[in-house]
Amino acid sequence: VLNFSAGPAVLPPPVVEQVQAELLRMPRPGMSMLEVSHRSTGFQALLEETLADLRTVGRIPADYQVLLLHGGASLQFSMVPQNLLGPGGRGCYVETGFWSTKAIEDAGRVGTVVVTGSTKDQHFRTVPSARSLLWSRAANYGHVTSNNTIEGTRWPELPDAPFPLVVDASSDIMSGPMDFRNCGLIYASAQKNLGPAGVTVVIIRDDILERCRTDMPAMLSYRVHAEHRSCYNTPNTFGIYVLGLVVKWMRSVGGLEQIRRMNVRKALRLYEALDASDFYRPTAAPECRSLMNVTFRLANQGREPAFLAAAERAGMDGLAGHRSVGGVRASIYNAFPEAGVSQLVEFLREFERTQS
Ligand SMILES: Cc1ncc(COP(=O)(O)O)c(C=O)c1O
């Protein structure tokens, strides 16, 4: 089955095979990773290796800490303002879709939010131009969602801001070389490009960490997690192990430049096929189309249930658009095979032919 799910999503086959091979007994601790203590030297070594690999493959600069936390990107929606907004502080948010709206809602429960730009009136088909953003002068940070998983849009380039950016990169982290310019904090759930569900990656610059509030409950405090190297409480040991294998796989296929090339090839192939036909309508504006989540409608929307059912019969799973928008979404993250995209392109043509 070809897995087009938006997350949890397809994993690289060599990773799943290695997990299978090692499930009963890892060579080093001599037991299954499912039963290893997070305080054991075996797991601690694996954690350190995973953090080092993330740093090398992601080219994460030395003045950033990498944390592996719980709670998904959704917990970051409140953790970010809780840690970064002191009394009287404010966060500037750009509203570009479903997930940025959730981030805005949660931040508004914690502190003052200024919406600096929005494409809501364009049904989130696009992201604002960097020039149109009205950053308020005095703010603690600006928040953007680098890839809008549901709407199928992305920022071609992160905007400049007069203060550090916080980036929700859940659906495009490490899909290519990362841009750390002006980024104070990057967060992402693992279950799209980095591994299984249940691990959240937070990459935070040292000066931002220094500015975090000190009066936070321990589990909500970036400072506490950084001081305890992501082991303040029991981390998701198995998820971190699989994430470590995914990062090693990224290195084995040539690193993030090569991954970006593969992602561009896959996405262009699919958009070209969609653009070549009047039968399908890509939903995102061309200048900000996502490389990860390709969203489209059928010109005759009434045919979408038949399209999705036929796709499923043809072995293509997870193509239904998010329940909030409907339509079709092909999520083609790093581990999604190029041959799978070719198969979908063939299917698009065949379905159109049989329906016309
Ligand atoms: C961009 C983005 N942000 C946040 C989330 C929420 O992630 P989680 O379910 O891990 O909390 C998602 C989930 O798909 C997402 O795509």
Side-chain angles (χ1 to χ4, degrees):
V1 170
L2 276 176
N3 181 3
F4 287 95
S5 163
V10 60
L11 287 167
V15 168
V16 181
E17 280 157 20
Q18 189 169 343
V19 171
Q20 185 199 34
E22 294 179 343
L23 190 64
L24 296 181
R25 197 168 61 86
M26 293 272 294
R28 199 131 49 102
M31 59 181 97
S32 169
M33 189 42 73
L34 287 166
E35 37 188 22
V36 166
S37 161
H38 63 300
R39 304 282 174 212
S40 65
T41 49
F43 180 76
Q44 285 296 316
L46 184 141
L47 174 63
E48 290 304 322
E49 192 175 314
T50 301
L51 292 173
D53 286 346
L54 267 171
R55 198 176 278 285
T56 310
V57 175
R59 300 228 184 92
I60 300 173
D63 58 337
Y64 286 77
Q65 304 291 319
V66 183
L67 313 176
L68 301 176
L69 307 182
H70 303 272
S74 298
L75 183 59
Q76 296 308 307
F77 296 162
S78 54
M79 252 177 103
V80 164
Q82 281 173 322
N83 279 268
L84 301 187
L85 295 183
R90 60 168 78 179
C92 284
Y93 281 70
V94 189
E95 187 184 35
T96 52
F98 181 93
W99 292 113
S100 63
T101 304
K102 296 254 180 223
I104 290 168
E105 283 166 3
D106 261 3
R109 293 181 180 111
V110 173
T112 305
V113 166
V114 179
V115 177
T116 300
S118 172
T119 48
K120 191 173 181 181
D121 60 355
Q122 295 162 68
H123 307 287
F124 299 128
R125 287 187 60 247
T126 183
V127 299
S129 71
R131 268 174 290 114
S132 71
L133 298 175
L134 301 168
W135 298 110
S136 128
R137 280 280 128 220
N140 300 60
Y141 61 86
H143 181 281
V144 294
T145 309
S146 50
N147 183 79
N148 297 285
T149 324
I150 292 173
E151 297 77 9
T153 64
R154 66 164 178 146
W155 290 87
E157 209 179 316
L158 292 179
D160 282 326
F163 27 71
L165 282 182
V166 172
V167 183
D168 176 358
S170 290
S171 49
D172 67 349
I173 191 164
M174 292 177 86
S175 60
M178 290 195 283
D179 180 5
F180 289 94
R181 238 175 344 132
N182 200 30
C183 278
L185 191 155
I186 300 172
Y187 63 87
S189 311
Q191 69 267 18
K192 299 160 197 300
N193 265 339
L194 294 180
V199 185
T200 313
V201 177
V202 173
I203 305 171
I204 181 167
R205 210 170 63 199
D206 287 337
D207 61 313
I208 304 295
L209 193 57
E210 277 304 305
R211 273 189 247 161
C212 285
R213 293 177 67 134
T214 51
D215 55 352
M216 299 289 302
M219 277 301 285
L220 298 178
S221 164
Y222 292 128
R223 285 172 177 273
V224 169
H225 289 298
E227 276 158 22
H228 291 82
R229 289 197 72 72
S230 303
C231 282
Y232 172 74
N233 77 325
T234 315
N236 179 347
T237 47
F238 194 76
I240 290 171
Y241 153 67
V242 182
L243 182 146
L245 297 180
V246 172
V247 178
K248 284 192 194 313
W249 170 82
M250 288 179 178
R251 190 162 55 195
S252 76
V253 297
L256 297 188
E257 277 86 5
Q258 182 57 19
I259 285 178
R260 165 60 52 86
R261 278 194 280 277
M262 293 194 292
N263 285 332
V264 168
R265 268 202 307 269
K266 287 187 291 184
L268 283 187
R269 182 105 217 274
L270 199 41
Y271 285 120
E272 266 167 29
L274 294 167
D275 285 337
S277 149
D278 289 334
F279 193 83
Y280 303 104
R281 306 252 158 98
T283 50
E287 65 279 7
C288 61
R289 285 172 170 176
S290 170
L291 300 179
M292 302 279 97
N293 312 98
V294 177
T295 51
F296 60 96
R297 310 285 323 209
L298 269 60
N300 179 346
Q301 295 185 7
R303 284 179 173 158
E304 285 169 356
F307 174 90
L308 293 169
E312 211 168 311
R313 283 196 299 278
M316 288 180 253
D317 193 67
L319 277 169
H322 188 264
R323 61 190 182 283
S324 63
V325 292
V328 186
R329 168 175 59 178
S331 296
I332 48 172
Y333 298 117
N334 290 351
F336 191 88
E338 296 199 56
V341 171
S342 305
Q343 210 171 312
L344 176 58
V345 167
E346 273 308 302
F347 176 80
L348 291 173
R349 293 197 182 120
E350 188 55 20
F351 187 79
E352 179 177 350
R353 196 184 59 77
T354 57
Q355 300 286 308
S356 304

